[in-house]
Amino acid sequence: MKYYVVDAFAEHVFEGNPAGVCILDKWLPDNTMQNIAAENNLSETAFAVKEGEHYRLRWFTPAAEIELCGHATLATAFVLASFYEPDAEQFTFHTLGGILIVLKKGNLFEMDFPSRLPEPFKLTNDMIEALGVTPIETYLSRDLMFVLENEDQVRQLSPDFSKLKDLPDGLGVSITAEGETFDFVSRSFFPKLNVNEDPVCGSAHCNLIPFWAGRLGKNELVARQLSKRGGTLYCLLEGDRVKMSGTAVLYAEAELQIDGTGQKNM
Protein backbone atom coordinates (compact mmCIF):
# COMPACT_ATOMS: atom_id res chain seq x y z
CA MET A 1 0.00 0.00 0.00
CA LYS A 2 1.40 3.39 -1.03
CA TYR A 3 2.19 5.79 1.78
CA TYR A 4 3.37 9.39 1.65
CA VAL A 5 4.75 11.76 4.26
CA VAL A 6 4.14 15.41 3.47
CA ASP A 7 5.32 18.50 5.33
CA ALA A 8 2.24 20.76 5.29
CA PHE A 9 2.37 24.55 5.70
CA ALA A 10 6.03 24.27 4.70
CA GLU A 11 8.24 25.63 1.95
CA HIS A 12 11.08 23.18 2.65
CA VAL A 13 11.37 19.76 4.27
CA PHE A 14 11.74 19.75 8.05
CA GLU A 15 9.36 22.71 8.29
CA GLY A 16 5.63 22.83 8.88
CA ASN A 17 3.65 19.85 10.09
CA PRO A 18 4.33 16.32 8.78
CA ALA A 19 1.31 14.17 7.95
CA GLY A 20 1.01 10.63 6.70
CA VAL A 21 -1.29 10.09 3.70
CA CYS A 22 -2.77 6.86 2.34
CA ILE A 23 -4.98 6.95 -0.78
CA LEU A 24 -7.00 3.74 -0.74
CA ASP A 25 -9.13 1.84 -3.27
CA LYS A 26 -11.39 0.72 -0.42
CA TRP A 27 -11.52 1.18 3.31
CA LEU A 28 -9.32 -0.79 5.64
CA PRO A 29 -10.73 -1.95 9.00
CA ASP A 30 -10.78 0.86 11.54
CA ASN A 31 -8.36 -0.94 13.83
CA THR A 32 -5.89 -1.33 10.95
CA MET A 33 -5.97 2.39 10.19
CA GLN A 34 -5.53 3.13 13.88
CA ASN A 35 -2.55 0.76 14.05
CA ILE A 36 -0.97 2.43 11.01
CA ALA A 37 -1.38 5.85 12.62
CA ALA A 38 0.15 4.58 15.86
CA GLU A 39 3.04 2.97 13.97
CA ASN A 40 3.67 6.17 12.00
CA ASN A 41 3.59 8.17 15.24
CA LEU A 42 2.89 11.42 13.40
CA SER A 43 0.31 13.83 14.77
CA GLU A 44 -2.13 12.66 12.08
CA THR A 45 -2.33 10.07 9.32
CA ALA A 46 -4.99 10.68 6.67
CA PHE A 47 -6.88 7.99 4.74
CA ALA A 48 -8.90 8.83 1.63
CA VAL A 49 -11.14 6.79 -0.67
CA LYS A 50 -12.66 8.20 -3.87
CA GLU A 51 -16.46 8.08 -3.93
CA GLY A 52 -17.81 9.30 -7.27
CA GLU A 53 -16.26 12.69 -8.03
CA HIS A 54 -15.33 13.35 -4.41
CA TYR A 55 -13.26 11.75 -1.65
CA ARG A 56 -14.14 10.55 1.80
CA LEU A 57 -11.37 11.55 4.17
CA ARG A 58 -10.61 10.34 7.68
CA TRP A 59 -7.85 11.33 10.10
CA PHE A 60 -6.24 9.28 12.86
CA THR A 61 -3.87 10.42 15.56
CA PRO A 62 -1.65 7.81 17.24
CA ALA A 63 -4.43 7.45 19.85
CA ALA A 64 -7.80 7.98 18.13
CA GLU A 65 -9.77 9.13 15.11
CA ILE A 66 -10.60 12.87 15.09
CA GLU A 67 -13.29 14.91 13.35
CA LEU A 68 -11.18 17.71 11.87
CA CYS A 69 -7.56 18.19 10.82
CA GLY A 70 -6.22 20.99 8.67
CA HIS A 71 -2.64 20.08 7.87
CA ALA A 72 -3.44 16.46 6.94
CA THR A 73 -6.20 17.75 4.63
CA LEU A 74 -3.68 20.00 2.90
CA ALA A 75 -1.25 17.07 2.72
CA THR A 76 -3.91 14.82 1.16
CA ALA A 77 -4.77 17.43 -1.48
CA PHE A 78 -1.05 17.80 -2.24
CA VAL A 79 -0.66 14.02 -2.75
CA LEU A 80 -3.74 13.86 -4.97
CA ALA A 81 -2.55 16.80 -7.06
CA SER A 82 0.99 15.40 -7.31
CA PHE A 83 0.33 11.71 -7.97
CA TYR A 84 -3.33 11.00 -8.76
CA GLU A 85 -5.13 13.97 -10.35
CA PRO A 86 -2.50 16.47 -11.57
CA ASP A 87 -5.01 18.45 -13.65
CA ALA A 88 -7.52 18.95 -10.83
CA GLU A 89 -7.86 22.41 -9.32
CA GLN A 90 -10.40 21.49 -6.63
CA PHE A 91 -10.74 18.58 -4.23
CA THR A 92 -13.92 17.97 -2.22
CA PHE A 93 -13.67 15.86 0.92
CA HIS A 94 -16.54 14.37 2.91
CA THR A 95 -15.41 14.12 6.55
CA LEU A 96 -16.70 13.77 10.08
CA GLY A 97 -16.30 17.54 10.32
CA GLY A 98 -18.45 18.19 7.24
CA ILE A 99 -17.68 18.85 3.58
CA LEU A 100 -14.25 20.42 3.07
CA ILE A 101 -13.10 21.96 -0.21
CA VAL A 102 -9.46 22.51 -1.12
CA LEU A 103 -8.53 24.71 -4.08
CA LYS A 104 -5.15 24.48 -5.77
CA LYS A 105 -3.89 27.99 -6.58
CA GLY A 106 -0.42 27.65 -8.01
CA ASN A 107 1.79 26.35 -5.20
CA LEU A 108 -0.82 27.24 -2.56
CA PHE A 109 -3.58 24.97 -1.33
CA GLU A 110 -6.57 26.87 0.06
CA MET A 111 -8.78 25.03 2.54
CA ASP A 112 -12.34 26.01 3.45
CA PHE A 113 -13.22 25.07 7.05
CA PRO A 114 -16.02 25.92 9.49
CA SER A 115 -15.45 28.96 11.70
CA ARG A 116 -15.62 28.17 15.41
CA LEU A 117 -15.47 31.29 17.55
CA PRO A 118 -14.45 30.18 21.06
CA GLU A 119 -16.45 31.25 24.11
CA PRO A 120 -14.98 32.89 27.23
CA PHE A 121 -14.16 30.31 29.89
CA LYS A 122 -13.17 30.36 33.55
CA LEU A 123 -9.46 30.17 34.29
CA THR A 124 -8.48 27.68 37.01
CA ASN A 125 -5.36 27.15 39.10
CA ASP A 126 -4.89 23.77 37.40
CA MET A 127 -4.68 25.53 34.04
CA ILE A 128 -2.10 27.99 35.35
CA GLU A 129 -0.01 25.19 36.84
CA ALA A 130 -0.16 23.20 33.59
CA LEU A 131 0.84 26.18 31.46
CA GLY A 132 3.44 27.60 33.82
CA VAL A 133 2.15 31.11 33.12
CA THR A 134 -1.01 33.07 33.85
CA PRO A 135 -2.88 33.87 30.62
CA ILE A 136 -4.69 37.17 30.23
CA GLU A 137 -7.78 35.54 28.66
CA THR A 138 -9.24 32.02 28.55
CA TYR A 139 -11.63 30.52 25.97
CA LEU A 140 -13.13 27.16 25.05
CA SER A 141 -14.39 25.64 21.82
CA ARG A 142 -13.26 22.13 20.91
CA ASP A 143 -9.96 23.09 22.53
CA LEU A 144 -8.97 25.36 25.38
CA MET A 145 -7.47 28.60 24.08
CA PHE A 146 -5.31 30.90 26.17
CA VAL A 147 -4.30 34.42 25.16
CA LEU A 148 -0.85 35.40 26.41
CA GLU A 149 0.66 38.86 26.77
CA ASN A 150 3.07 38.78 23.85
CA GLU A 151 4.80 36.73 21.17
CA ASP A 152 7.82 35.94 23.36
CA GLN A 153 5.62 34.28 25.98
CA VAL A 154 4.14 32.05 23.27
CA ARG A 155 7.57 31.16 21.90
CA GLN A 156 9.17 30.43 25.26
CA LEU A 157 6.31 28.58 26.96
CA SER A 158 7.27 25.16 28.32
CA PRO A 159 4.06 23.56 29.63
CA ASP A 160 3.72 20.50 31.83
CA PHE A 161 2.23 18.02 29.36
CA SER A 162 1.10 15.55 31.99
CA LYS A 163 -0.89 18.33 33.68
CA LEU A 164 -2.29 19.52 30.35
CA LYS A 165 -3.45 15.97 29.70
CA ASP A 166 -5.30 15.91 33.02
CA LEU A 167 -7.28 19.11 32.39
CA PRO A 168 -10.95 18.07 32.23
CA ASP A 169 -11.96 20.55 29.53
CA GLY A 170 -10.96 20.71 25.88
CA LEU A 171 -9.50 18.15 23.52
CA GLY A 172 -6.35 20.20 23.05
CA VAL A 173 -4.76 23.43 24.22
CA SER A 174 -3.80 26.42 22.09
CA ILE A 175 -1.87 29.48 23.22
CA THR A 176 -1.83 32.66 21.18
CA ALA A 177 -0.84 36.31 21.14
CA GLU A 178 -0.77 39.22 18.75
CA GLY A 179 2.30 38.93 16.55
CA GLU A 180 5.17 41.30 15.93
CA THR A 181 5.80 40.42 12.27
CA PHE A 182 2.64 38.36 11.69
CA ASP A 183 -0.92 39.29 12.64
CA PHE A 184 -0.98 36.61 15.33
CA VAL A 185 1.10 33.70 16.55
CA SER A 186 0.18 30.47 18.29
CA ARG A 187 1.22 27.01 19.47
CA SER A 188 -0.97 23.92 19.92
CA PHE A 189 -0.71 20.97 22.31
CA PHE A 190 -2.62 17.66 22.24
CA PRO A 191 -1.24 15.37 24.95
CA LYS A 192 -4.69 13.73 25.27
CA LEU A 193 -4.09 12.41 21.73
CA ASN A 194 -0.48 11.41 22.48
CA VAL A 195 0.78 14.47 20.56
CA ASN A 196 2.51 16.82 22.97
CA GLU A 197 2.89 19.64 20.44
CA ASP A 198 1.29 19.83 17.02
CA PRO A 199 3.83 21.73 14.85
CA VAL A 200 1.19 23.52 12.74
CA CYS A 201 -2.47 22.95 13.61
CA GLY A 202 -5.03 23.88 10.97
CA SER A 203 -8.07 22.92 13.04
CA ALA A 204 -6.96 25.22 15.88
CA HIS A 205 -7.11 28.09 13.40
CA CYS A 206 -10.85 27.50 13.03
CA ASN A 207 -10.92 29.17 16.47
CA LEU A 208 -7.95 31.50 16.09
CA ILE A 209 -8.97 33.13 12.81
CA PRO A 210 -12.42 34.39 13.88
CA PHE A 211 -11.03 35.44 17.26
CA TRP A 212 -8.19 37.51 15.84
CA ALA A 213 -10.27 38.83 12.94
CA GLY A 214 -12.64 40.33 15.50
CA ARG A 215 -9.85 41.51 17.77
CA LEU A 216 -7.81 43.13 15.00
CA GLY A 217 -10.73 44.34 12.90
CA LYS A 218 -9.59 42.65 9.67
CA ASN A 219 -10.67 39.50 7.84
CA GLU A 220 -7.39 38.77 6.02
CA LEU A 221 -4.57 37.70 8.31
CA VAL A 222 -1.19 36.02 8.16
CA ALA A 223 -0.48 33.68 11.05
CA ARG A 224 2.64 31.95 12.26
CA GLN A 225 2.80 28.84 14.44
CA LEU A 226 5.83 29.15 16.70
CA SER A 227 6.66 25.49 17.18
CA LYS A 228 10.25 24.38 16.68
CA ARG A 229 9.45 23.48 13.06
CA GLY A 230 7.30 26.55 12.45
CA GLY A 231 4.73 27.20 9.75
CA THR A 232 2.89 30.06 8.05
CA LEU A 233 -0.84 30.20 7.27
CA TYR A 234 -2.59 32.73 5.03
CA CYS A 235 -6.01 33.20 6.58
CA LEU A 236 -9.37 34.64 5.55
CA LEU A 237 -12.64 34.89 7.49
CA GLU A 238 -15.74 34.72 5.28
CA GLY A 239 -18.97 34.64 7.28
CA ASP A 240 -19.20 31.30 9.07
CA ARG A 241 -16.24 29.83 7.15
CA VAL A 242 -12.49 30.26 7.45
CA LYS A 243 -10.01 29.79 4.65
CA MET A 244 -6.42 28.74 5.27
CA SER A 245 -3.78 28.56 2.57
CA GLY A 246 -0.32 27.10 2.65
CA THR A 247 2.29 25.21 0.71
CA ALA A 248 3.43 21.61 1.11
CA VAL A 249 6.55 19.55 0.40
CA LEU A 250 6.93 15.80 -0.12
CA TYR A 251 9.27 14.25 2.43
CA ALA A 252 8.87 10.51 1.74
CA GLU A 253 7.13 7.98 -0.47
CA ALA A 254 6.98 4.38 0.73
CA GLU A 255 5.19 1.04 0.52
CA LEU A 256 3.50 -0.19 3.71
CA GLN A 257 3.98 -3.91 4.19
CA ILE A 258 0.53 -4.80 5.47
CA ASP A 259 -2.56 -6.53 4.14
CA GLY A 260 -6.19 -5.68 4.76
CA THR A 261 -6.18 -7.33 8.18
CA GLY A 262 -3.35 -5.19 9.45
CA GLN A 263 -1.05 -8.19 9.75
CA LYS A 264 2.49 -7.97 8.39
CA ASN A 265 3.02 -9.74 5.08
CA MET A 266 5.50 -12.59 5.37
Side-chain angles (χ1 to χ4, degrees):
M1 184 175 71
K2 294 293 291 186
Y3 169 67
Y4 306 87
V5 179
V6 175
D7 289 339
F9 299 112
E11 295 181 356
H12 309 281
V13 292
F14 310 127
E15 294 179 352
N17 199 350
V21 178
C22 297
I23 309 299
L24 309 173
D25 294 325
K26 61 181 180 180
W27 289 110
L28 297 170
D30 285 5
N31 68 318
T32 301
M33 292 189 286
Q34 184 62 71
N35 286 338
I36 291 171
E39 186 82 1
N40 293 343
N41 201 32
L42 298 171
S43 57
E44 275 85 16
T45 298
F47 299 87
V49 172
K50 192 164 190 180
E51 298 179 351
E53 296 299 314
H54 302 157
Y55 287 85
R56 188 159 300 277
L57 176 62
R58 298 171 69 182
W59 310 279
F60 288 78
T61 74
E65 184 174 10
I66 57 172
E67 95 292 350
L68 191 65
C69 178
H71 81 280
T73 301
L74 190 159
T76 302
F78 173 84
V79 168
L80 291 173
S82 299
F83 299 100
Y84 294 85
E85 299 188 36
D87 296 327
E89 296 182 351
Q90 175 176 312
F91 300 97
T92 301
F93 299 108
H94 293 258
T95 80
L96 290 177
I99 296 176
L100 306 178
I101 296 174
V102 181
L103 300 179
K104 187 177 186 298
K105 296 183 175 182
N107 292 329
L108 285 174
F109 290 85
E110 180 186 86
M111 299 180 292
D112 184 326
F113 276 18
S115 173
R116 296 177 173 176
L117 184 64
E119 298 290 335
F121 199 69
K122 182 179 179 180
L123 178 67
T124 67
N125 288 331
D126 287 343
M127 294 174 187
I128 295 171
E129 289 182 5
L131 291 171
V133 66
T134 301
I136 59 176
E137 298 175 54
T138 303
Y139 296 86
L140 178 67
S141 180
R142 181 195 71 174
D143 309 321
L144 284 166
M145 189 183 92
F146 299 101
V147 181
L148 304 188
E149 291 185 5
N150 53 54
E151 182 174 313
D152 283 341
Q153 275 196 338
V154 174
R155 182 180 290 106
Q156 296 170 10
L157 189 78
S158 181
D160 185 318
F161 294 117
S162 63
K163 290 182 179 179
L164 286 184
K165 189 173 185 177
D166 289 338
L167 293 177
D169 300 293
L171 179 65
V173 171
S174 291
I175 58 171
T176 187
E178 188 171 352
E180 298 172 1
T181 304
F182 300 90
D183 289 303
F184 66 91
V185 297
S186 66
R187 290 171 67 191
S188 296
F189 311 104
F190 292 89
K192 292 178 182 177
L193 297 176
N194 294 343
V195 178
N196 281 344
E197 180 162 8
D198 198 2
V200 185
C201 184
S203 61
H205 283 75
C206 293
N207 305 145
L208 294 165
I209 293 170
F211 175 83
W212 283 110
R215 182 63 56 92
L216 299 176
K218 55 194 292 190
N219 287 351
E220 293 187 37
L221 309 104
V222 182
R224 181 73 179 177
Q225 195 124 9
L226 295 180
S227 64
K228 183 177 180 180
R229 294 175 64 96
T232 301
L233 303 90
Y234 302 91
C235 311
L236 175 66
L237 176 66
E238 285 191 342
D240 62 353
R241 307 292 294 181
V242 294
K243 293 184 177 180
M244 294 169 253
S245 298
T247 55
V249 182
L250 180 69
Y251 172 68
E253 181 180 353
E255 189 76 24
L256 298 186
Q257 299 302 308
I258 63 170
D259 59 24
T261 66
Q263 301 298 318
K264 290 183 178 180
N265 292 331
M266 302 302 289

